[in-house]
């Protein structure tokens, strides 16, 4: 079974500013409270590929170490995919996306989505996580918008 949740927000920033902020995963934790700690980030390389090792926490579950591979399509889309041979892949496959559509020079429509495909016998988790993850992604894009708005109003030193 697959659980898909998404949220869309208009952000006072360019697509590049949005995706660079998200790729600074240690800072992005301020928006995504499921990330408890970032261990390492490599990339993106010249092809936009990279990976991140982080500790994440899903609703009702303890924090766990995970690795996610990502691909940046400059400056329109960022995709995270749960890397193979990780403990979490025993329970589910994961894809997370950020799609950026410029509205004008300083305003971007951002659609953020998660897709979890649960393996048998963990399919019951879909029902348990559906509502909390839908609420979380709504709050996450709201916090992202606020953080980027604060960043644009903070004077440079």
């Amino acid at each position: 079974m697959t659980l898909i949740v998404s949220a869309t927000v208009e952000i006072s920033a360019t697509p590049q500013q949005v995706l660079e902020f998200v790729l600074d995963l240690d800072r992005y934790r301020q928006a995504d409270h499921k990330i408890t700690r970032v261990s390492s980030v490599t990339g993106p390389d010249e092809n936009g590929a990279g990976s991140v090792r982080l500790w994440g926490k899903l609703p009702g579950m303890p924090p766990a170490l995970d690795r996610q591979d990502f691909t940046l399509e400059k400056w329109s889309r960022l995709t995270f995919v749960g890397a193979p041979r990780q403990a979490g892949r025993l329970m589910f496959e994961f894809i997370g996306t950020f799609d950026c559509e410029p509205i004008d020079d300083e305003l971007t429509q951002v659609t953020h989505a998660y897709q979890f495909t649960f393996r048998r016998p963990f399919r019951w988790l879909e029902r348990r996580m559906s509502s909390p993850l839908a609420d979380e992604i709504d709050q996450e894009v709201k916090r992202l918008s606020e953080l980027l708005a604060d960043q644009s109003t903070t004077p440079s030193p």
Side-chain angles (χ1 to χ4, degrees):
M1 300 184 83
T2 300
L3 168 63
I4 300 171
V5 295
S6 67
T8 300
V9 66
E10 290 182 2
I11 297 180
S12 296
T14 66
Q16 181 174 349
Q17 290 169 324
V18 171
L19 295 176
E20 284 178 343
F21 186 87
V22 173
L23 281 171
D24 185 348
L25 288 155
D26 222 18
R27 284 180 54 211
Y28 188 70
R29 291 179 343 148
Q30 297 171 66
D32 186 349
H33 295 168
K34 294 177 307 308
I35 301 172
T36 60
R37 189 174 72 208
V38 177
S39 298
S40 66
V41 178
T42 57
D45 63 16
E46 65 278 351
N47 297 316
S51 68
V52 58
R53 289 187 57 78
L54 55 80
W55 286 84
K57 183 175 182 350
L58 293 173
M61 301 177 79
L65 181 62
D66 194 17
R67 190 181 103 225
Q68 296 177 7
D69 297 325
F70 63 82
T71 305
L72 172 65
E73 298 171 34
K74 290 187 176 174
W75 293 104
S76 61
R77 183 176 176 90
L78 178 60
T79 304
F80 290 89
V81 177
R85 296 183 300 279
Q86 301 297 303
R89 298 305 82 75
L90 297 172
M91 296 174 62
F92 58 82
E93 296 293 328
F94 170 77
I95 300 172
T97 58
F98 292 85
D99 288 294
C100 294
E101 183 71 36
I103 296 171
D104 61 30
D105 289 344
E106 296 184 17
L107 190 62
T108 301
Q109 179 175 290
V110 179
T111 300
H112 180 29
Y114 308 132
Q115 177 178 317
F116 290 88
T117 303
F118 294 93
R119 299 187 189 284
R120 193 177 282 134
F122 301 102
R123 291 183 177 165
W124 59 272
L125 286 169
E126 180 179 353
R127 289 184 307 279
R128 184 177 185 188
M129 286 191 199
S130 180
S131 181
L133 281 174
D135 292 341
E136 169 56 30
I137 202 166
D138 287 339
Q139 293 302 310
E140 185 178 335
V141 296
K142 181 180 176 188
R143 289 187 294 263
L144 173 61
S145 178
E146 292 168 353
L147 288 162
L148 283 165
D150 290 347
Q151 177 178 291
S152 69
T153 60
T154 304
S156 299

